[in-house]
Amino acid sequence: MLKTPLHLPYPTLTRRRLLTIGAGSALVAVTGLRPAEAVLKLDVTQGNVQPMPIALPDFAGGTGPDSDVARNVTGIITNNLRRSGLFAPIDPAAYIERISNPDVAPKFPDWRAINAQALVTGRVTRQGDGRLRAEFRLWDVFAGQQQAGQQYFTTPDNWRRIGHIISDAIYERLTGEKGYFDSRIVFVDESGPKDRRVKRLAIMDQDGANVRYLTRGEDLVLTPRFSPSTQEITYMSFGQGDPRVYLLNIETNQREIVGNFPGMTFSPRFSPDGQRVIMSLQQGSNSNLFTMDLRSRNTTRLTQSPAIDTAPSYSPDGTRICFESDRGGSQQIYVMPSTGGNAQRISFGEGSYSTPVWSPRGDAIAFTKQGGGKFAIGIMRTDGSGERILTEGFHNEGPTFAPNGRVIMFFRDGGGGPSLFSVDITGRNEQRIPTPSFASDPAWSPLLS
């Protein structure tokens, strides 16, 4: 485990590095049982998913603090799966069998009796060298088979990440899709009176835990965005003079200005390979899109429009970008090659469209839509077809996708101050994300691997 200065918002431990502290490995099936061949599976391709009843008894632990860690890891897994909207954790008070030894096969009739379809058992123990060993088994209750088993070794301070990584493993095994729990959110923390609001960059786990501040609030900050490596963010700041686009290295806490352009730069976002930043540059009353190669610092102009082109977002393969522009008389969404060229308008509904962002799955673009006195968060296919509104209200804005493209986070301000919310791409399972103060401009990181 690397030692990091206290001011750093997060240890710079990636999933790969975490697991290489001690090799993660498959946990063999309990004697007499074999891993099942995907007998139990949750179909998430349908719009109306019935949550799967799942039992998550507290992981076994050692003594004292280790027992608390084991119970806390179980709590993180339970909360993650419940918040996904795809699983319905069963009240522990209903449990008939008490799991004390996860190496022994469960009494499946006891779990069938309470209608548990899946069961997760596990253990967290301290090794002689001080590391934690965390292990879990996922059981198909009705088939009476082990579906998955894995063990991890890490330092004790990574116990929350172990909970998220196990959550992702369970989610992937039961849905067939990657999870999104071992990820983070960078956002703008807002505190103080409305006319003297202090805005700081902050970062936290996707469940709202472990909030750390990246800036102190001296300058106004907006639109933070993660790099693919998750170790850097780019954002816009009103420091001395015109607003500028910055890079901030989360590992070193060093920041630098992206380029030195006359006029304002804003709406920055990394390319999928992390080698470029795309942004808007104001020139008079217009703004156009530019990219900067982060190695050579050479810039390339992408649009030549006498309009306001802004909020660009790359497709996952980096070949196209979507952006908002008022070149047609109102704010609409356009798509064009990432090297510039002919831009095609794809939004044609009533009202105006803004803040488009491309799904990590590549098949959809999320947006903010304003009209009729309301702000809505919606998605459409990348050709503009299939528009669906997921949620609407007085002021919703700024969608950002989870790493698996299944969940969208955004901020809502009902008048008192902004807060973060998430909603499934089916429009179900809207939830408020806890933050210490008001919060806006969320950006979801890739999985930490």
Side-chain angles (χ1 to χ4, degrees):
M1 175 69 186
L2 296 177
K3 187 177 180 179
T4 55
L6 291 178
H7 70 273
L8 291 182
Y10 274 101
T12 59
L13 201 62
T14 66
R15 185 195 303 238
R16 183 184 304 277
R17 291 170 64 186
L18 183 147
L19 295 180
T20 54
I21 286 175
S25 58
L27 203 61
V28 298
V30 170
T31 302
L33 296 172
R34 293 184 302 173
E37 295 299 329
V39 175
L40 183 64
K41 191 167 183 179
L42 187 62
D43 184 358
V44 296
T45 62
Q46 303 300 313
N48 187 19
V49 175
Q50 188 67 31
M52 174 186 290
I54 186 170
L56 297 131
D58 283 342
F59 282 15
T63 58
D66 292 347
S67 181
D68 293 338
V69 171
R71 184 165 49 252
N72 291 336
V73 167
T74 312
I76 287 175
I77 299 168
T78 302
N79 290 334
N80 281 339
L81 297 181
R82 177 185 291 115
R83 285 187 301 99
S84 75
L86 301 178
F87 301 92
I90 296 172
D91 185 348
Y95 297 169
I96 300 171
E97 183 187 13
R98 300 298 167 185
I99 301 292
S100 57
N101 183 358
D103 295 329
V104 176
K107 298 177 181 175
F108 293 111
D110 286 357
W111 299 100
R112 294 185 192 116
I114 61 171
N115 196 36
Q117 295 184 28
L119 167 67
V120 179
T121 61
R123 174 166 48 207
V124 178
T125 52
R126 185 88 54 157
Q127 303 297 284
D129 58 6
R131 295 180 303 165
L132 285 182
R133 176 191 181 197
E135 57 189 278
F136 82 96
R137 286 184 168 93
L138 172 64
W139 304 92
D140 181 335
V141 172
F142 285 88
Q145 291 182 313
Q146 180 177 320
Q147 276 212 316
Q150 196 78 22
Q151 62 180 347
Y152 308 92
F153 295 86
T154 188
T155 50
D157 54 335
N158 284 314
W159 66 269
R160 292 199 93 260
R161 287 204 57 197
I162 285 293
H164 292 315
I165 290 171
I166 293 176
S167 301
D168 283 331
I170 295 169
Y171 182 101
E172 183 172 0
R173 182 67 181 186
L174 292 179
T175 68
E177 298 193 353
K178 290 285 187 183
Y180 58 90
F181 304 114
D182 189 28
S183 59
R184 293 179 179 136
I185 307 295
V186 62
F187 64 100
V188 175
D189 176 274
E190 302 188 24
S191 58
K194 191 170 184 177
D195 59 344
R196 288 178 286 117
R197 192 64 58 82
V198 175
K199 295 191 175 185
R200 296 180 291 177
L201 287 182
I203 190 171
M204 63 183 182
D205 294 355
Q206 51 79 28
D207 58 359
N210 278 341
V211 175
R212 307 291 178 87
Y213 296 99
L214 305 176
T215 61
R216 297 179 177 176
E218 293 96 339
D219 301 327
L220 179 66
V221 291
L222 295 169
T223 63
R225 302 287 183 261
F226 274 103
S227 71
S229 72
T230 72
Q231 296 305 316
E232 277 189 312
I233 61 170
T234 181
Y235 66 100
M236 173 183 169
S237 176
F238 288 77
Q240 302 298 318
D242 288 331
R244 293 280 186 259
V245 169
Y246 286 84
L247 294 177
L248 177 67
N249 188 307
I250 298 173
E251 184 171 357
T252 65
N253 216 33
Q254 298 297 310
R255 77 169 192 172
E256 60 178 312
I257 294 176
V258 179
N260 189 17
F261 307 102
M264 295 191 298
T265 51
F266 49 98
S267 297
R269 194 181 292 270
F270 283 97
S271 60
D273 62 6
Q275 302 300 313
R276 290 162 286 156
V277 169
I278 190 169
M279 56 194 167
S280 296
L281 174 59
Q282 186 176 28
Q283 297 167 318
S285 59
N286 304 327
S287 69
N288 281 281
L289 303 183
F290 289 76
T291 58
M292 170 174 275
D293 186 300
L294 294 176
R295 290 172 297 185
S296 66
R297 297 288 166 161
N298 292 329
T299 58
T300 302
R301 181 170 180 162
L302 300 181
T303 61
Q304 304 277 347
S305 172
I308 297 176
D309 296 339
T310 188
S313 174
Y314 281 96
S315 61
D317 63 6
T319 62
R320 293 180 290 169
I321 59 170
C322 59
F323 63 100
E324 67 176 71
S325 176
D326 64 357
R327 61 182 65 188
S330 64
Q331 280 179 293
Q332 300 294 335
I333 300 174
Y334 291 77
V335 170
M336 73 176 186
S338 59
T339 54
N342 186 34
Q344 298 288 331
R345 177 178 167 180
I346 64 167
S347 61
F348 291 95
E350 294 184 1
S352 62
Y353 294 75
S354 60
T355 65
V357 58
W358 214 298
S359 166
R361 303 165 70 92
D363 59 350
I365 291 171
F367 55 83
T368 303
K369 183 177 182 179
Q370 184 181 4
K374 293 182 178 179
F375 288 78
I377 300 295
I379 60 172
M380 62 176 65
R381 298 189 185 97
T382 59
D383 63 0
S385 65
E387 177 180 324
R388 288 189 289 120
I389 298 301
L390 305 181
T391 185
E392 61 181 9
F394 176 67
H395 187 182
N396 300 312
E397 194 174 347
T400 178
F401 279 98
N404 68 355
R406 280 285 174 194
V407 181
I408 289 174
M409 193 175 291
F410 60 97
F411 71 92
R412 171 180 294 157
D413 190 344
S419 299
L420 304 187
F421 290 81
S422 65
V423 64
D424 192 88
I425 59 170
T426 63
R428 298 173 56 251
N429 197 36
E430 182 174 308
Q431 299 190 36
R432 182 170 180 166
I433 309 301
T435 54
S437 305
F438 297 132
S440 60
D441 272 346
W444 214 316
S445 80
L447 275 179
L448 302 179
S449 57

